Amino acid sequence: MDNFVFHNPTKIFFGKGQIEHLGKEIINYGKKVLFVTGGGSVKRIGLYDKVIEILKEEKCNVYELSGVEPNPRLSTVKKGIEICKSEGIEVVLAVGGGSVLDASKAIAAGAKYDGDVWDFYTRKATIEDALPLATVLTLAATGSEMNGNSVVTNWETKEKLGTNSIHIYPKFSILDPTYTYSVPRDQTVYGIVDIMAHVFEQYFSHTSNTPLQDQFCESVMRTVIDNSEAVLERPDDYDARSNILLSGTMALNNIIRMGMAGDWATHMIEHEVSAIYDIPHGGGLAIIFPNWMKYVLDEGIEKFKRYAIEVWKVDATGKTDKEIALEGIEKTREFFNRIGAPSRLKDYNIGDENIELMAEKVVKRRTVGQYKKLTKEDVKNILTMSL
Amino acid sequence: MDNFVFHNPTKIFFGKGQIEHLGKEIINYGKKVLFVTGGGSVKRIGLYDKVIEILKEEKCNVYELSGVEPNPRLSTVKKGIEICKSEGIEVVLAVGGGSVLDASKAIAAGAKYDGDVWDFYTRKATIEDALPLATVLTLAATGSEMNGNSVVTNWETKEKLGTNSIHIYPKFSILDPTYTYSVPRDQTVYGIVDIMAHVFEQYFSHTSNTPLQDQFCESVMRTVIDNSEAVLERPDDYDARSNILLSGTMALNNIIRMGMAGDWATHMIEHEVSAIYDIPHGGGLAIIFPNWMKYVLDEGIEKFKRYAIEVWKVDATGKTDKEIALEGIEKTREFFNRIGAPSRLKDYNIGDENIELMAEKVVKRRTVGQYKKLTKEDVKNILTMSL
């Protein structure tokens, strides 16, 4: 394994009713609260009223920013920063899914920065400080509740970029599986794909000697696969929702990948697709990932063989390594199909009209891929396979 | 799974040469440093001189406490507290194995407490504050480098007791596998047993619906088993030492047991044995654990069956659940024997003369066991099986 630094200071409250800790925890950071939400789901499930009630009880001054988009937009982030600066906000409270959390991280960092918050995403600047952030999660997917990642879309430049900083880890996050009961079927599916994709990006690594990390990754993947059908069949299955929710957090809080170099090419490709077409991130990942797998397979069949056997229980008898590996990839595609994720870009009415542009943008800012370093041509090939 | 709170703020620097971060990190907490060590091993491997050099470079005022015992003693802890209070120490730096770290945690907490530090161990008081603590680990075993646990022995009352607090998590810990190269064979073995025992205490749980946690536990156990012979045959095998070191940290930093009720009966029993006989903790655990397993087996065969199959690859064909489970326990004993751990108390010349007293002390202060709640009679039976 490689040398590494691990530091994840987020405090997690997991389980039914853990919202009871919100009041006492949040006032550790201040009483002037920016309460950030997305669409109306937090109101529909009664969580909005509950949060307001708790904040009132603690005599907080509550400012609100609602309507954060599924691919959160820079323009919305800037509205939040404006409120923080003009009102002297002391703590940001994000209640919702990954996009609300990611936007809130951008707001928390932007509130302490004199320049344009987009600088953090274009790597013109590094986050040096941020308002404290607390989160209440309502969707198992991005892992944003326990990491320092934030992805924001700049609709003017049609760019979807990420940043990362220790300063934007949530101070605490409340994860109550019952809040995910009412997540619509398609969002549940996209969340599952996103979680699997996060593990893929870390697991498919050339770093040698990572037996514990590999097994941790496989543990998360198997848990997600084993619980997916249950959450789709019985949306209020507490046990299955808990397992998916915990898996989502563990998939992207740096624990399963200590000392491993990740890939992240598929995420970068998908970000450019959804920056142009505004499709669900999980949908895009489901389409592209199995094609990425096929495309990079020859860079290291051993890991794909291991994946097929350990995660998908592929029977290796009488098969070549490549046959075993391909069977694992096929099973990945079958799984995504079975739970209802899309297979092709045309499922979103996307043709080849922007492939050149998207490939260009993928490779524009940084090296892409680690399992296989991808050129613009490679990205075009993967996108073409995905049509 | 049960509701849980997870919060582990320790920053980990893992890998060869990570000591280079010590200087810049420690001065975040102060320049008046209490440098705590155990026997002479940190001097023999050159680490002592290196640390002194780094602290001098940062112009720290260094005070020293050396000679912390393998089962760290309250009297030594009190010396450390005295130095902290009289010299106005700002940060405690523990360099050594688990006992040095545990003693340093006690010192850090005691330095901020007006009463007797032993109060934290007898549960007369709760740790509310502590000096910041940093650690450089030289032995894979206790997990103390990334948790808030501390175990101290009061030689006057012949009691070995533990405490736990968020305030005594190390601020940062440096884990360099090369520092463990020169650990003597027997200490390496005891460390391996200790790591396995920590996982056992968490894994053998009646909490239902913990698929991810169970798989994480199994991942750690398999990694330890798979790398044990390599570290014993080739003490300077970097890969194997890394895997054991990381496993030791992951075995007891609360990650693998989120939402699970642990047992800890075997640790409590062993603590009373080593409080009287001053035997190595890992040696005591190797003797007692397989007997505990046999004794509590009927409280839940399913988990022991799973353990046998997932960890020891026991072939289940044609066997009853109990036969499978017993085979897993037998393999545990064989593993401990194979690496050179003791099997019976008589290997340490311990007879039945103090069984009554030890059993009495085990059950004196708290409920013992969760997989099976143990009475004094149960503890006597397990100790008798271990003679």
Side-chain angles (χ1 to χ4, degrees):
Chain A
M1 70 185 85
D2 299 333
N3 279 8
F4 66 86
V5 179
F6 174 85
H7 189 203
N8 192 325
T10 301
K11 186 175 184 178
I12 295 292
F13 294 89
F14 191 102
K16 188 172 180 176
Q18 294 282 40
I19 195 77
E20 68 178 3
H21 296 284
L22 176 62
K24 292 290 168 239
E25 287 288 322
I26 202 159
I27 57 168
N28 290 327
Y29 304 99
K31 294 209 165 187
K32 288 188 99 169
V33 181
L34 180 66
F35 176 21
V36 185
T37 55
S41 72
V42 297
K43 287 196 174 163
R44 280 194 299 279
I45 65 173
L47 181 55
Y48 176 90
D49 289 340
K50 181 76 188 167
V51 169
I52 290 288
E53 179 195 319
I54 290 168
L55 295 176
K56 289 256 157 79
E57 217 162 88
E58 299 293 341
K59 303 194 180 0
C60 293
N61 288 333
V62 183
Y63 300 80
E64 291 191 47
L65 177 71
S66 61
V68 173
E69 307 80 9
N71 283 315
R73 298 183 180 195
L74 181 60
S75 52
T76 309
V77 165
K78 288 184 173 176
K79 279 186 213 161
I81 293 170
E82 180 50 37
I83 300 172
C84 289
K85 288 183 172 174
S86 63
E87 305 297 342
I89 294 295
E90 294 168 326
V91 51
V92 179
L93 172 63
V95 181
S99 60
V100 173
L101 273 55
D102 280 17
S104 298
K105 288 174 176 177
I107 293 167
K112 291 277 197 171
Y113 180 61
D114 287 333
D116 182 347
V117 67
W118 190 240
D119 293 348
F120 300 138
Y121 296 81
T122 57
R123 317 242 157 156
K124 269 179 64 184
T126 304
I127 297 172
E128 303 287 355
D129 196 8
L131 287 176
L133 169 70
T135 89
V136 181
L137 189 67
T138 60
L139 178 66
T142 68
S144 194
E145 63 276 13
M146 200 181 180
N147 66 38
N149 306 339
S150 165
V151 176
V152 165
T153 299
N154 181 338
W155 207 243
E156 286 171 31
T157 61
K158 292 217 177 342
E159 282 176 305
K160 182 174 176 176
L161 296 174
T163 192
N164 181 291
S165 167
I166 189 70
H167 301 290
I168 55 176
Y169 276 69
K171 297 295 182 192
F172 66 93
S173 287
I174 293 171
L175 281 62
D176 182 336
T178 67
Y179 296 155
T180 69
Y181 284 176
S182 66
V183 172
R185 187 184 174 93
D186 61 341
Q187 293 299 324
T188 301
V189 169
Y190 298 143
I192 288 167
V193 174
D194 200 25
I195 297 168
M196 290 294 283
H198 290 158
V199 184
F200 295 156
E201 300 280 22
Q202 301 167 93
Y203 178 74
F204 291 107
S205 166
H206 291 303
T207 309
S208 64
N209 185 48
T210 54
L212 183 59
Q213 298 90 328
D214 289 341
Q215 292 183 71
F216 277 0
C217 288
E218 289 154 1
S219 300
V220 175
M221 292 189 278
R222 286 188 298 247
T223 302
V224 172
I225 294 163
D226 291 346
N227 286 274
S228 286
E229 285 170 48
V231 293
L232 293 170
E233 281 168 23
R234 299 178 304 277
D236 59 352
D237 182 323
Y238 184 82
D239 285 350
R241 287 285 192 187
S242 304
N243 293 330
I244 295 286
L245 188 57
L246 183 59
S247 295
T249 304
M250 298 302 291
L252 202 56
N253 60 8
N254 300 323
I255 288 173
I256 62 172
R257 48 139 278 186
M258 292 181 180
M260 285 172 92
D263 192 89
W264 299 101
T266 306
H267 266 74
M268 292 187 201
I269 299 173
E270 195 292 320
H271 284 176
E272 295 308 335
V273 177
S274 59
I276 291 187
Y277 296 100
D278 206 15
I279 66 172
H281 177 54
L285 291 171
I287 293 166
I288 300 165
F289 233 119
N291 294 320
W292 173 88
M293 289 178 173
K294 279 186 202 157
Y295 196 79
V296 307
L297 176 61
D298 290 329
E299 300 294 314
I301 283 199
E302 203 48 47
K303 197 66 176 268
F304 281 96
K305 177 187 170 188
R306 177 185 170 130
Y307 167 68
I309 292 170
E310 295 296 332
V311 176
W312 294 108
K313 309 293 169 209
V314 167
D315 179 1
T317 321
K319 293 171 193 160
T320 65
D321 286 358
K322 187 149 185 175
E323 285 168 343
I324 297 164
L326 283 167
E327 205 173 317
I329 298 174
E330 199 42 51
K331 286 195 178 290
T332 311
R333 172 66 76 206
E334 282 169 18
F335 170 66
F336 288 162
N337 287 353
R338 192 164 61 245
I339 61 174
S343 302
R344 319 200 67 85
L345 290 171
K346 74 173 179 202
D347 295 333
Y348 287 120
N349 297 315
I350 297 172
D352 62 2
E353 61 281 0
N354 282 313
I355 282 187
E356 181 78 24
L357 172 66
M358 291 189 288
E360 177 65 38
K361 287 168 66 191
V362 170
V363 299
K364 183 177 157 194
R365 291 190 190 273
R366 58 201 92 168
T367 307
V368 178
Q370 186 259 358
Y371 209 75
K372 177 179 167 66
K373 291 217 187 326
L374 301 185
T375 63
K376 183 177 158 188
E377 220 41 47
D378 292 324
V379 175
K380 281 170 68 177
N381 290 337
I382 292 168
L383 283 168
T384 303
M385 289 165 76
S386 306
L387 283 170
Chain B
M1 71 185 83
D2 299 334
N3 279 8
F4 66 87
V5 179
F6 174 84
H7 187 205
N8 191 326
T10 301
K11 185 175 185 179
I12 295 292
F13 295 89
F14 190 102
K16 188 174 177 171
Q18 294 282 41
I19 194 78
E20 66 179 4
H21 296 285
L22 175 62
K24 293 293 170 239
E25 287 289 323
I26 202 158
I27 57 170
N28 290 328
Y29 304 99
K31 294 210 165 187
K32 289 188 99 169
V33 181
L34 179 67
F35 177 20
V36 185
T37 56
S41 72
V42 297
K43 288 196 175 165
R44 279 194 299 278
I45 65 174
L47 181 56
Y48 175 90
D49 289 341
K50 181 76 187 166
V51 169
I52 289 288
E53 180 196 319
I54 291 168
L55 296 175
K56 288 254 157 83
E57 219 162 86
E58 299 294 342
K59 305 197 182 354
C60 293
N61 289 332
V62 183
Y63 299 81
E64 292 190 48
L65 177 72
S66 62
V68 172
E69 307 79 8
N71 283 315
R73 299 182 179 194
L74 181 60
S75 51
T76 310
V77 165
K78 288 186 172 173
K79 281 185 212 162
I81 294 170
E82 179 50 37
I83 299 171
C84 290
K85 289 186 172 173
S86 62
E87 305 296 342
I89 294 294
E90 292 166 330
V91 50
V92 179
L93 172 62
V95 181
S99 60
V100 173
L101 274 55
D102 280 17
S104 298
K105 289 173 175 176
I107 293 166
K112 291 277 198 173
Y113 181 61
D114 287 335
D116 182 346
V117 66
W118 190 240
D119 292 349
F120 299 137
Y121 296 81
T122 55
R123 318 243 156 153
K124 268 179 64 185
T126 303
I127 297 172
E128 303 287 355
D129 196 6
L131 287 176
L133 169 70
T135 88
V136 181
L137 189 66
T138 60
L139 178 66
T142 67
S144 193
E145 63 277 13
M146 200 182 180
N147 66 38
N149 306 339
S150 166
V151 176
V152 166
T153 299
N154 182 339
W155 207 243
E156 285 171 33
T157 61
K158 291 214 175 352
E159 281 177 306
K160 184 174 175 177
L161 295 174
T163 190
N164 182 291
S165 166
I166 189 69
H167 301 289
I168 55 174
Y169 276 69
K171 297 296 181 191
F172 67 92
S173 287
I174 293 172
L175 281 61
D176 182 335
T178 68
Y179 297 156
T180 67
Y181 284 178
S182 66
V183 172
R185 187 183 174 93
D186 61 339
Q187 293 299 323
T188 301
V189 168
Y190 298 143
I192 288 167
V193 174
D194 199 24
I195 296 168
M196 290 294 285
H198 290 159
V199 184
F200 294 157
E201 300 280 22
Q202 301 166 93
Y203 178 75
F204 292 106
S205 166
H206 291 302
T207 307
S208 63
N209 185 49
T210 54
L212 184 58
Q213 298 90 329
D214 288 341
Q215 291 182 72
F216 277 0
C217 289
E218 288 154 1
S219 300
V220 176
M221 291 189 278
R222 285 187 298 248
T223 302
V224 172
I225 294 163
D226 291 346
N227 287 275
S228 286
E229 285 171 47
V231 294
L232 294 171
E233 281 167 22
R234 299 179 304 280
D236 58 352
D237 182 323
Y238 185 82
D239 286 350
R241 286 286 191 186
S242 303
N243 293 330
I244 295 286
L245 187 56
L246 183 59
S247 295
T249 303
M250 298 303 291
L252 201 54
N253 60 9
N254 299 325
I255 287 173
I256 62 173
R257 48 138 278 185
M258 291 180 180
M260 285 171 90
D263 191 90
W264 299 100
T266 307
H267 266 74
M268 291 186 203
I269 298 172
E270 195 292 321
H271 284 175
E272 296 308 334
V273 176
S274 57
I276 291 186
Y277 295 99
D278 204 15
I279 66 171
H281 178 53
L285 290 170
I287 294 166
I288 300 165
F289 232 120
N291 294 321
W292 173 86
M293 289 178 172
K294 279 187 201 158
Y295 196 79
V296 307
L297 178 60
D298 290 329
E299 299 296 312
I301 283 200
E302 203 49 47
K303 198 65 177 271
F304 281 96
K305 177 187 171 189
R306 177 183 171 131
Y307 167 69
I309 293 169
E310 295 296 331
V311 176
W312 294 107
K313 309 295 173 207
V314 166
D315 178 2
T317 322
K319 294 169 192 161
T320 65
D321 286 358
K322 187 147 185 176
E323 285 167 343
I324 298 164
L326 283 168
E327 207 173 317
I329 298 173
E330 196 44 48
K331 285 193 178 293
T332 311
R333 172 66 76 203
E334 282 168 17
F335 171 66
F336 287 162
N337 287 352
R338 194 164 60 246
I339 61 175
S343 302
R344 318 201 67 87
L345 290 172
K346 75 172 175 201
D347 295 332
Y348 288 119
N349 298 314
I350 297 172
D352 62 2
E353 61 280 0
N354 281 311
I355 283 187
E356 180 78 24
L357 171 66
M358 293 188 288
E360 176 65 39
K361 285 167 68 191
V362 171
V363 300
K364 181 176 160 195
R365 291 191 190 274
R366 58 201 92 170
T367 307
V368 178
Q370 186 257 2
Y371 208 77
K372 176 179 169 69
K373 290 215 188 327
L374 301 184
T375 62
K376 181 178 160 188
E377 217 45 44
D378 292 323
V379 176
K380 281 170 68 177
N381 290 338
I382 292 168
L383 283 170
T384 303
M385 289 164 77
S386 305
L387 284 172

